[in-house]
Amino acid sequence: MLTIGKLKEFGADVDTGLSRCANNEELYIRLAGITVQELSSGALGKAIEEGDLDSAFQIAHKLKGGVTNLALMPIAEPLCELTELLRNKTPGNYETLYAEVIRRTNDLSSV
């Protein structure tokens, strides 16, 4: 179960995330949990694996919005990089960045 303490330990900018949730801790924690579930769903990885870069970009962009608004910075860094590569369809190792996003998401889940 996520808590403010666990989010801080993970490296989230909790003060910023809370301010974007009207300082409502319950809302912040609930939204962070939903975002972790969405990241863990595998939809982004499946789109990348299938080479559907348009769908992958749409999914990554949505996830990036949630992650950055909640200030989950350790996840935001590789997710932002992945989103920009997908936006521009820049050749790159999408799978490696996606794996890093998932690793960091799992780190948050295990804190």
Side-chain angles (χ1 to χ4, degrees):
M1 178 175 173
L2 287 177
T3 64
I4 293 298
K6 287 181 179 182
L7 288 162
K8 284 182 181 179
E9 182 181 335
F10 172 68
D13 181 351
V14 171
D15 292 335
T16 298
L18 276 171
S19 72
R20 292 179 180 149
C21 293
N23 291 313
N24 182 328
E25 287 186 17
E26 184 179 317
L27 175 62
Y28 180 62
I29 291 168
R30 185 168 55 84
L31 291 175
I34 290 168
T35 300
V36 166
Q37 287 176 343
E38 288 179 350
L39 285 161
S40 300
S41 76
L44 178 56
K46 183 178 179 189
I48 290 170
E49 183 180 303
E50 292 175 352
D52 186 352
L53 301 185
D54 291 327
S55 291
F57 168 71
Q58 293 299 321
I59 296 165
H61 190 264
K62 176 187 176 221
L63 291 169
K64 180 185 91 164
V67 166
T68 56
N69 280 329
L70 295 171
L72 303 175
M73 303 321 292
I75 299 171
E77 293 166 12
L79 186 55
C80 287
E81 186 176 345
L82 177 58
T83 302
E84 290 311 306
L85 287 175
L86 290 166
R87 176 190 313 275
N88 298 310
K89 295 185 181 165
T90 304
N93 194 342
Y94 305 119
E95 292 85 1
T96 299
L97 281 170
Y98 174 69
E100 184 63 17
V101 169
I102 293 304
R103 184 188 69 76
R104 293 182 186 197
T105 300
N106 291 338
D107 287 349
L108 175 57
S109 297
S110 67
V111 172

